[in-house]
Amino acid sequence: MMGPVAVRAENAEAPVRCDPMGEQTILVVEDDEPIARALAGALESQGYSISRAATGAEALSKVRAQPPELVLLDLGLPDVDGVEVCRLLRELDPVLPIVILTARHDEIDVVLGLDAGADDYVTKPFRLAELLARVRAHLRQPRSDDQIVLRVGDVEVDRGARRVRVGDNELDLRAKEFDLLAFLVSEAGSAVTRERIMSEVWDQHWFGSTKTLDMHVSSLRRKLAEVTGGASEPAVITTLRGVGYRFEAP
Ligand code: CA
């Protein structure tokens, strides 16, 4: 069964990934030539194949023609607003990992970008090692081959279909929100440390800020509350100060 975003008829045949040599293609969408060149060089040195676009329109047509394994998307593009490009890319391909690149102080862009379907963000000026770590983390996520269904109370997490249902309601989750919830639910009733979450859900060798974790937890809480707020046993993610989080088993 296809996800709710994948039903537009003209996109039905689009997301078939052509990857005969096992080489992973990353689309770098960046109009700043020196940055684009530096990014492409760094990624190529890690064995990725690089495709480049300098405008939103070019990015969309490249993804339509041949979907990459991941998109790095600058939000400040000359033609279409990057957030809008992100939304359109997400519409074209519900599971394509999208990492947005944004200037350090544009927090609002980060929020809009994540709401538009981005999986993650990196602020400019970025550390190359951190960016490469994020890219590795997103490319390592299983896409559709994991068929295990988890059930805790009313919450059902289908890791094969990447869908979450709470009773009769389906949650509309971004890719990383899904991964985070699936992980917390798999450990329901147990405390899970921040370090372990970062390592399991983001990257094995995570270093640096875990702010992205907090942003994802608050967004998950909001979405869970929308569907379970009135229930007698609402789904709850408890904060354990100085430790991490716990998904409460009813
Ligand atoms: Ca730019």
Side-chain angles (χ1 to χ4, degrees):
M1 213 189 289
M2 304 192 79
V5 220
V7 293
R8 286 172 44 149
E10 70 268 35
N11 304 330
E13 73 280 23
V16 176
R17 284 170 177 75
C18 178
D19 193 21
M21 305 301 288
E23 194 170 59
Q24 294 179 304
T25 301
I26 296 175
L27 174 61
V28 175
V29 187
E30 169 64 79
D31 60 311
D32 187 314
E33 174 61 25
I35 294 180
R37 209 180 320 120
L39 274 174
L43 291 163
E44 270 163 359
S45 77
Q46 303 294 306
Y48 300 114
S49 163
I50 301 305
S51 164
R52 275 170 61 176
T55 65
E58 200 184 339
L60 288 162
S61 82
K62 290 211 162 170
V63 170
R64 271 192 207 99
Q66 186 165 346
E69 271 70 36
L70 181 141
V71 174
L72 284 176
L73 175 64
D74 173 36
L75 288 185
L77 294 170
D79 57 344
V80 193
D81 178 61
V83 172
E84 178 64 7
V85 175
C86 182
R87 197 185 61 72
L88 293 168
L89 287 174
R90 180 53 72 228
E91 223 172 76
L92 274 176
D93 186 340
V95 296
L96 172 65
I98 302 171
V99 177
I100 53 179
L101 306 170
T102 179
R104 185 170 295 277
H105 299 293
D106 297 343
E107 287 266 311
I108 186 71
D109 282 353
V110 169
V111 173
L112 289 175
L114 293 175
D115 279 346
D119 299 284
D120 204 352
Y121 67 95
V122 175
T123 51
K124 293 180 187 177
F126 48 80
R127 290 184 304 162
L128 215 41
E130 181 182 346
L131 184 118
L132 293 173
R134 303 272 180 116
V135 165
R136 277 198 307 276
H138 287 285
L139 287 175
R140 214 183 41 233
Q141 297 307 316
R143 296 185 74 97
S144 62
D145 45 359
D146 193 346
Q147 293 300 330
I148 302 163
V149 177
L150 306 167
R151 278 188 200 84
V152 174
D154 286 344
V155 180
E156 180 186 291
V157 179
D158 184 336
R159 290 192 282 194
R162 295 185 65 83
R163 302 174 80 150
V164 176
R165 285 191 197 80
V166 182
D168 293 332
N169 300 299
E170 179 160 354
L171 259 62
D172 182 17
L173 299 179
R174 301 191 296 255
K176 277 292 168 192
E177 289 171 346
F178 177 88
D179 294 336
L180 173 60
L181 183 61
F183 180 59
L184 290 174
V185 169
S186 76
E187 299 280 330
S190 304
V192 193
T193 64
R194 299 178 69 84
E195 292 73 23
R196 203 166 146 230
I197 297 171
M198 292 317 292
S199 138
E200 297 277 342
V201 179
W202 273 271
D203 187 81
Q204 201 180 350
H205 306 289
W206 185 266
F207 50 93
S209 163
T210 56
K211 190 172 161 196
T212 187
L213 169 58
D214 300 312
M215 289 181 72
H216 281 75
V217 167
S218 39
S219 163
L220 267 182
R221 280 181 174 145
R222 191 179 31 140
K223 290 179 179 182
L224 284 167
E226 275 167 17
V227 294
T228 69
S232 54
E233 286 171 341
V236 169
I237 300 169
T238 302
T239 301
L240 305 167
R241 272 184 207 296
V243 180
Y245 294 100
R246 180 177 61 225
F247 187 86
E248 300 296 353

